[in-house]
Amino acid sequence: MDYRRKRRLTFFTIGLIFLLSGIEYAVILPTIWRYLQTLNAAPYFLGLSLSAFSFSGLLAGPLFGFWSDRTLATKKIILFANVFEIVGNFMYFMGYSKWLLLCSRLVAGIGTGAGSSIFGFLTRNTAPEDRSTVFAAVMACRQAGLLIGPAFNIFLRLCNFQIGPFTVNKYTSPGLFMCLLWILLQFVVLFMYWDFTPQDETRQRNGVEREEVEQEEEEGKPLVGPNELTGSYGTVTSVQSRTSSVANGDVTHVSPPPSPPPEEVSSSPFRNFSASREFLREEVVVLLAAQFITLFNQTALETMVTPLTQKFFNFGELENSIMYCLCGVEVIAGFLFVRWLSKRVAERVVLAVGLILCNISCVWCLIFLANPQGGFAWQLAEFIIGVFLQVLGLPFVAVAQVSLFSKITSEKTQGFSQGIRRSVGGLATILGPLWAGGLTFNLYVMLGLMMGLLALLTIMMVVSYERLVAPVTVDNPTGSESED
């Protein structure tokens, strides 16, 4: 199979992986609150369960990223990580107690660690100018899962039967459903994913060009060589001349190309790596802060939404699923717009637009949602506008910060660097639900901290705006091949 077909199928499989991660989130999130209530869990258990998923991903991300940087074997890592997704979702389906439910999210979260390896793989195999577009497409796949997930929930809520000792109902069926989907994905990865590198494309192109050159040389080669014309009939002058020329070292043009030194082939990408030099730079700190604060605010609001809609609007699983479905449509549209916009403006401009939208959203929620006023229709309108503004800013910040981060950090250690970035995000998704879970009925304090964090991030971005650009690389014709 040629390189281009492998590349298309591999990118398609990566899209499926992120699609399933979005489906899992959208299928489980609308029902986990009621699921915990049936198991007599306290309200803070909702934050614990959501944070457990992120906590294990926080630990697994850098480890999987380090593994992929050392071996470049992303396929094995994905297959290994998916096993944890399968086991964790089956534990969620069993659901005997609130502690088993908590452990199920902890186990399933390990599988998300493969995302750092995938982002490292994408960084190594995409050009810097195309990176924002590729990352936007991958993230849009996850948002498509968030859109499709609630549609599955509409049918899963109708389940009510037994499988041996296990009860399949609207709360346990999402776990069984996701377990089956992750099993199917294992076969897709097995047969449709390849660990290719940019050198594979170069080798294939050089091979095709070499065949064309050899074919042209064969077609243009005379039937009788010039050396054969210098001797008389029956002599072996040409053979002797070739032998003597080889002995005198005159045919250097047929010598094989020099092989790279052994130390270059076997050297580790972490040979001269320094974590402090790589991550304690002004621009890197700003992007990691953007990752943390935006995800902290997002997960805090997501944790708050379900109890809030139950309290003020008496929403059930169906209404929450429809709400997440509509949010998914908005986010996908946002990612498509960011994909178009990133080709025309710099990433830091996209990041600035996203931060402005996030600030507007947080101010709106602090004014109108902390203490809703008016009748049912007015409160619902306030809630819809707040959610709309919050979701609108996410694609801008998400794509801009991950694309910039991949450009200002070393390409050779992208798996580990992306693991660190995702771990920072994982820490935010742990603390966000914990913060919101304990302050569901004290929204001024909860939203006030979120507003303060956004103000801090905005100041950091303004101060460091000039440094939020990809480093300029100088072409070096003599050393470019060895660096590849």
Side-chain angles (χ1 to χ4, degrees):
M1 185 179 297
D2 63 352
Y3 172 83
R4 291 184 179 179
R5 184 173 298 178
K6 287 182 179 180
R7 181 184 175 93
R8 285 195 296 267
L9 290 176
T10 300
F11 280 18
F12 171 77
T13 305
I14 290 174
L16 279 182
I17 294 171
F18 281 88
L19 179 73
L20 260 64
S21 68
I23 291 176
E24 178 178 4
Y25 191 82
V27 164
I28 288 178
L29 187 63
T31 59
I32 189 172
W33 171 240
R34 295 290 183 93
Y35 194 2
L36 287 168
Q37 287 179 328
T38 63
L39 299 173
N40 300 319
Y44 67 85
F45 239 82
L46 173 62
L48 282 179
S49 300
L50 296 177
S51 298
F53 185 80
S54 302
F55 176 73
S56 53
L58 178 153
L59 299 177
L63 295 178
F64 285 153
F66 180 81
W67 183 6
S68 67
D69 287 335
R70 291 295 298 269
T71 64
L72 302 180
T74 314
K75 181 175 183 176
K76 295 179 181 178
I77 296 173
I78 295 173
L79 292 172
F80 178 70
N82 286 349
V83 173
F84 291 95
E85 290 278 9
I86 294 169
V87 174
N89 279 285
F90 188 78
M91 292 170 63
Y92 186 90
F93 160 65
M94 294 169 62
Y96 286 122
S97 69
K98 58 185 180 182
W99 295 106
L100 182 62
L101 202 68
L102 178 64
C103 292
S104 72
R105 303 312 295 154
L106 193 68
V107 172
I110 298 176
T112 63
S116 59
S117 302
I118 294 174
F119 275 109
F121 173 84
L122 291 174
T123 300
R124 289 189 295 268
N125 290 281
T126 54
E129 60 271 14
D130 298 329
R131 208 161 289 163
S132 296
T133 303
V134 173
F135 287 164
V138 170
M139 293 178 179
C141 289
R142 186 178 186 276
Q143 298 306 319
L146 293 174
L147 171 63
I148 298 172
F152 288 120
N153 235 358
I154 294 174
F155 298 100
L156 292 175
R157 62 190 289 271
L158 303 176
C159 295
N160 188 15
F161 55 91
Q162 292 283 133
I163 299 180
F166 304 113
T167 301
V168 183
N169 55 34
K170 60 184 178 181
Y171 302 124
T172 61
S173 57
L176 179 62
F177 176 71
M178 290 311 306
C179 179
L180 295 176
L181 284 185
W182 286 112
I183 291 174
L184 291 176
L185 183 66
Q186 288 288 75
F187 292 100
V188 175
V189 174
L190 197 61
F191 296 108
M192 297 177 61
Y193 189 98
W194 284 270
D195 285 321
F196 57 81
T197 62
Q199 287 75 20
D200 294 335
E201 182 181 15
T202 304
R203 293 191 196 100
Q204 184 178 8
R205 188 186 303 116
N206 292 341
V208 173
E209 292 176 355
R210 190 179 300 111
E211 290 178 0
E212 292 176 352
V213 171
E214 290 177 355
Q215 185 177 1
E216 291 176 0
E217 290 179 352
E218 289 292 335
E219 293 176 353
K221 185 177 180 180
L223 296 177
V224 181
N227 292 333
E228 297 174 359
L229 297 175
T230 58
S232 59
Y233 177 77
T235 63
V236 288
T237 308
S238 61
V239 176
Q240 293 174 351
S241 63
R242 290 192 192 100
T243 305
S244 61
S245 64
V246 170
N248 294 329
D250 296 334
V251 286
T252 56
H253 64 281
V254 297
S255 60
S259 59
E263 61 270 16
E264 291 186 10
V265 176
S266 59
S267 62
S268 168
F270 295 91
R271 185 177 181 181
N272 298 317
F273 179 80
S274 172
S276 60
R277 187 172 62 248
E278 184 75 2
F279 301 122
L280 296 183
R281 289 181 284 140
E282 182 179 334
E283 60 272 24
V284 176
V285 171
V286 171
L287 294 178
L288 291 178
Q291 170 84 348
F292 178 86
I293 293 173
T294 52
L295 282 178
F296 178 90
N297 289 0
Q298 177 190 348
T299 52
L301 287 173
E302 287 174 350
T303 305
M304 173 197 73
V305 160
T306 308
L308 200 66
T309 56
Q310 184 181 13
K311 176 183 177 181
F312 291 106
F313 312 120
N314 198 26
F315 279 6
E317 295 84 5
L318 178 61
E319 292 83 359
N320 285 329
S321 296
I322 294 174
M323 177 183 64
Y324 283 111
C325 184
L326 294 175
C327 289
V329 173
E330 181 187 356
V331 172
I332 291 175
F335 274 111
L336 293 177
F337 178 74
V338 170
R339 183 181 181 183
W340 172 84
L341 185 65
S342 61
K343 297 179 180 180
R344 290 160 176 80
V345 299
E347 282 99 342
R348 59 181 179 177
V349 178
V350 179
L351 180 63
V353 172
L355 280 181
I356 292 172
L357 292 173
C358 289
N359 277 281
I360 295 173
S361 166
C362 203
V363 170
W364 178 275
C365 293
L366 192 60
I367 295 174
F368 294 102
L369 296 187
N371 186 20
Q373 301 294 326
F376 178 85
W378 178 246
Q379 291 181 2
L380 184 60
E382 292 173 343
F383 175 78
I384 291 174
I385 294 174
V387 172
F388 174 81
L389 291 173
Q390 172 64 23
V391 172
L392 185 62
L394 291 179
F396 293 86
V397 179
V399 174
Q401 59 93 7
V402 69
S403 178
L404 262 177
F405 187 83
S406 71
K407 294 178 181 179
I408 65 176
T409 52
S410 174
E411 185 174 320
K412 294 181 179 179
T413 56
Q414 271 299 300
F416 181 74
S417 297
Q418 292 292 341
I420 295 296
R421 182 190 64 82
R422 288 172 65 87
S423 290
V424 171
L427 181 62
T429 56
I430 291 171
L431 297 178
L434 290 177
W435 174 255
L439 294 169
T440 305
F441 303 107
N442 195 351
L443 297 182
Y444 279 114
V445 176
M446 187 189 83
L447 293 170
L449 175 68
M450 294 165 55
M451 188 68 245
L453 290 175
L454 273 176
L456 174 64
L457 177 59
T458 304
I459 294 172
M460 292 173 65
M461 197 207 70
V462 171
V463 173
S464 305
Y465 187 78
E466 296 299 326
R467 299 180 65 91
L468 295 176
V469 292
V472 179
T473 58
V474 180
D475 293 336
N476 185 5
T478 60
S480 59
E481 293 180 3
S482 63
E483 291 175 0
D484 293 340

